[in-house]
Amino acid sequence: MSRKSYDAVVVGAGPNGLSAGIELARQGLSVCVLEAKETIGGGARTAEITEPGFFHDICSAIHPIGVVSPFFKSMELEKWGVEWVYPEVALAHPFDDGGAALLYQSLEKTGDTLGEDKRPYEKLMRPFVERAADFFEETLRPIRFPRHPFLMLRFGLYAMRSCLGLASSRFRQKRARALFAGCCAHSVLPLDKIMTSSFGMVLALAAHAINWPSVRGGSQKIVDALAACLRSLGGEIRTLHPVNSMRDLPQSRAVLFDLTPRQVVEIAGDALPTRYRKRLARFRYGPGVFKVDWALDGPIPWKAAECRRAATVHLGATIEEIAASESAMWKGEHQERPFVLVAQQSLFDSTRAPVGKHTGWAYCHVPSGSSVDMTERIERQVERFAPGFRDLIRARHTINAVEFEQHNPNMIGGDIGGGANDLWQFLARPILRYDPYSTPNERLYLCSSSTPPGGGVHGMCGSLAARSALKRVFGIKV
Ligand SMILES: Cc1cc2nc3c(=O)[nH]c(=O)nc-3n(C[C@H](O)[C@H](O)[C@H](O)COP(=O)(O)OP(=O)(O)OC[C@H]3O[C@@H](n4cnc5c(N)ncnc54)[C@H](O)[C@@H]3O)c2cc1C
């Protein structure tokens, strides 16, 4: 350590850990971030993992919530080198007949791809699209009495429903149902569970509010920007510094863990009361993921040519097929036709691959701790909607759920969301507590995606946890 003591120490240099560090350092506090791995970034790293010149996002790729995040906005990430790359279409959802539903920023244009469901779709989304700033201010924080009660009551009535329930009552045709189900599947829950609609609504609204961008050069640029900002404020970052117990920490007045509850229980030991540790230990983790990155000789040859206008493509022909896939992993099963999330950033960002070449990014959900190789099943799904795809593959890199946890100890069993998104953990994340970031030990805080508002690269968990520590430990109200 270059100093013996700090005002605050953050464990973990993921997007939330770095955001927490910035929020603290902005108040003139001395901050040190400790990272176990050789490189910073957690779930926002980019590397040449297939062939030289092909830059792959190892985890996060598309950042609709990052771009609406009040914390990222306050940082003006663009000043720190982040360039959002907006595709013409936020999301494409192809079908076996060669057509596709498209999620545009424009409600009208989206509706045009949904046949008879154009009007119902617009009616569902419009009230929130018109008040997008208020809406995202409310949703990206812990559940509290809303500042915009009528807007949020209206949202709650839809959000609390299951995806299958809302889609079947609102939409008559398979296109809108499948498009909505693909967005709801980001909950990583069976689609008949209540609250799964909330994920579909939030992601679709982010598309209408601002689109679904990637970052020029890769998601790593976000954490590089966060790190540069933190250092400019005097913060330190130490890599190759795993924290396994409280003894591994330098002296500080506050410690913020960008870790999930299971790790915090192990590290903090007696520093937290037994009762609180037992409650944290009951925190539930979700299923894992299996991911493939491809170096390609050309763009993915979608049957529905309009899919080339989107950076994100969802593969699952009907709501029934997607629902079957999203409940299989909860039963310990591996679906033959998994719902696959594809990103094709190089279509919009020439820095990702050599001239004329492309990158492909895809994953599907699998049971927690799975080591089953899903490459063949994922590639079969892509080939189904893009015949000739396999002939373009120059090289691939795969990572299963077990390997994800080795890559990043926060991804327990391959869970990429920092914990299951079930109803209870939606209301009480990580446990039921008015200030979910605080612990009974006034020095210790949780700031990872296991706290509200949950998974994604948006920095809000870190920012809000830091504000809690600022108020409780340092008497600073932000
Ligand atoms: C395949 C995949 C696809 C994804 N796609 C998207 C996407 O498109 N868009 C999006 O917004 N999000 C996406 N995500 C989710 C996103 O990556 C996470 O929600 C986000 O990174 C969580 O940030 P965090 O700071 O809470 O934790 P993390 O990013 O997990 O960071 C935690 C950090 O703590 C470090 N650490 C762990 N244990 C210790 C220890 N004991 N001592 C010191 N350091 C430690 C880890 O090495 C890591 O660097 C994806 C994730 C994956 C894996």
Side-chain angles (χ1 to χ4, degrees):
M1 288 288 150
S2 52
R3 304 170 48 131
K4 284 215 167 59
S5 70
Y6 299 86
D7 290 318
V9 167
V10 180
V11 182
N16 281 312
L18 294 167
S19 299
I22 291 168
E23 196 75 85
L24 294 159
R26 272 174 173 173
Q27 300 303 319
L29 303 183
S30 58
V31 176
C32 180
V33 179
L34 305 173
E35 167 56 46
K37 299 285 170 175
E38 201 175 349
T39 55
I40 62 163
R45 291 182 168 109
T46 305
E48 291 168 288
I49 50 178
T50 53
E51 289 186 354
F54 291 83
F55 294 89
H56 303 277
D57 289 324
I58 297 172
C59 300
S60 65
I62 306 293
H63 298 98
I65 307 300
V67 85
V68 295
S69 156
F71 176 70
F72 280 3
K73 277 192 197 161
S74 79
M75 269 194 65
E76 297 180 88
L77 279 176
E78 297 78 1
K79 281 192 187 159
W80 300 95
V82 172
E83 188 187 335
W84 300 111
V85 179
Y86 294 94
E88 183 193 345
V89 175
L91 164 70
H93 195 122
F95 302 106
D96 287 315
D97 63 6
L102 304 176
L103 186 61
Y104 285 91
Q105 191 169 352
S106 153
L107 265 182
E108 179 104 68
K109 284 168 86 176
T110 304
D112 288 342
T113 72
L114 301 179
E116 278 180 35
D117 288 318
K118 177 178 165 78
R119 289 289 306 278
Y121 182 85
E122 287 185 22
K123 204 168 155 211
L124 177 65
M125 298 291 168
R126 190 172 300 285
F128 309 104
V129 175
E130 283 169 354
R131 295 186 57 194
D134 294 341
F135 176 78
F136 285 108
E137 182 200 316
E138 293 278 12
T139 41
L140 294 179
R141 65 184 183 114
I143 294 174
R144 292 275 186 278
F145 188 79
R147 292 175 196 133
H148 309 283
F150 294 112
L151 180 72
M152 295 319 285
L153 179 64
R154 187 169 195 167
F155 175 66
L157 291 174
Y158 298 128
M160 67 189 287
R161 299 191 62 186
S162 74
C163 166
L164 295 184
L166 187 64
S168 60
S169 67
R170 284 265 147 181
F171 307 128
R172 273 188 277 171
Q173 294 189 316
K174 74 168 196 181
R175 285 177 166 239
R177 287 181 178 183
L179 181 76
F180 187 64
C183 294
C184 295
H186 286 253
S187 64
V188 203
L189 288 172
L191 299 185
D192 58 353
K193 295 280 178 208
I194 58 172
M195 301 297 308
T196 41
S197 281
S198 65
F199 282 80
M201 294 283 295
V202 167
L203 285 174
L205 288 167
H208 297 307
I210 194 102
N211 201 336
W212 288 9
S214 56
V215 181
R216 189 168 307 283
S219 304
Q220 177 82 43
K221 298 280 181 193
I222 298 179
V223 289
D224 288 348
L226 295 171
C229 175
L230 177 59
R231 289 190 176 112
S232 78
L233 295 164
E236 286 179 38
I237 301 172
R238 291 234 145 193
T239 53
L240 290 175
H241 192 112
V243 174
N244 298 311
S245 81
M246 297 299 278
R247 287 188 299 279
D248 298 329
L249 295 168
Q251 270 193 354
S252 67
R253 289 175 66 191
V255 181
L256 289 85
F257 294 103
D258 183 14
L259 309 179
T260 79
R262 189 179 298 178
Q263 296 143 284
V264 175
V265 167
E266 277 166 23
I267 293 170
D270 294 345
L272 289 171
T274 313
R275 196 160 162 268
Y276 178 79
R277 271 188 287 153
K278 277 192 179 156
R279 290 176 70 198
L280 269 193
R282 286 199 288 269
F283 186 79
R284 288 175 306 285
Y285 292 89
V289 302
F290 183 95
K291 177 164 179 274
V292 195
D293 284 288
W294 298 285
L296 300 170
D297 270 329
I300 301 178
W302 301 108
K303 248 191 286 179
E306 53 270 45
C307 290
R308 284 210 201 169
R309 284 152 46 198
T312 308
V313 184
H314 284 166
L315 304 182
T318 61
I319 191 168
E320 292 79 16
E321 184 182 319
I322 300 168
S325 177
E326 294 310 289
S327 59
M329 74 267 186
W330 286 94
K331 297 184 229 151
E333 295 166 8
H334 296 80
Q335 196 69 357
E336 273 308 309
R337 281 186 156 182
F339 171 64
V340 177
L341 300 94
V342 177
Q344 39 186 12
Q345 303 93 314
S346 61
L347 285 180
F348 308 93
D349 176 2
S350 59
T351 68
R352 299 293 186 108
V355 179
K357 310 291 176 207
H358 284 275
T359 57
W361 169 112
Y363 73 87
C364 68
H365 300 136
V366 292
S368 175
S370 163
S371 55
V372 170
D373 185 343
M374 296 293 283
T375 312
E376 168 59 26
R377 290 181 237 198
I378 289 178
E379 289 182 358
R380 220 186 297 135
Q381 281 288 67
V382 182
E383 185 78 25
R384 173 179 167 196
F385 297 100
F389 163 71
R390 281 202 178 101
D391 300 338
L392 297 173
I393 301 173
R394 298 167 60 87
R396 67 170 70 73
H397 176 273
T398 66
I399 177 162
N400 68 31
V402 174
E403 291 160 342
F404 259 121
E405 188 171 337
Q406 290 157 2
H407 167 74
N408 178 348
N410 278 31
M411 295 178 185
I412 310 278
D415 175 356
I416 66 172
N421 293 310
D422 57 29
L423 176 63
W424 180 248
Q425 290 189 176
F426 179 83
L427 299 170
R429 192 174 179 89
I431 63 165
L432 189 60
R433 194 173 163 84
Y434 181 75
D435 177 347
Y437 310 99
S438 70
T439 72
N441 182 330
E442 203 188 60
R443 276 186 66 219
L444 308 186
Y445 295 80
L446 271 77
C447 70
S448 72
S449 60
S450 303
T451 62
V457 174
H458 45 63
M460 288 305 294
C461 312
S463 160
L464 294 166
R467 285 173 184 223
S468 169
L470 282 168
K471 188 167 138 206
R472 287 165 182 264
V473 182
F474 302 98
I476 301 171
K477 196 158 183 306
V478 183

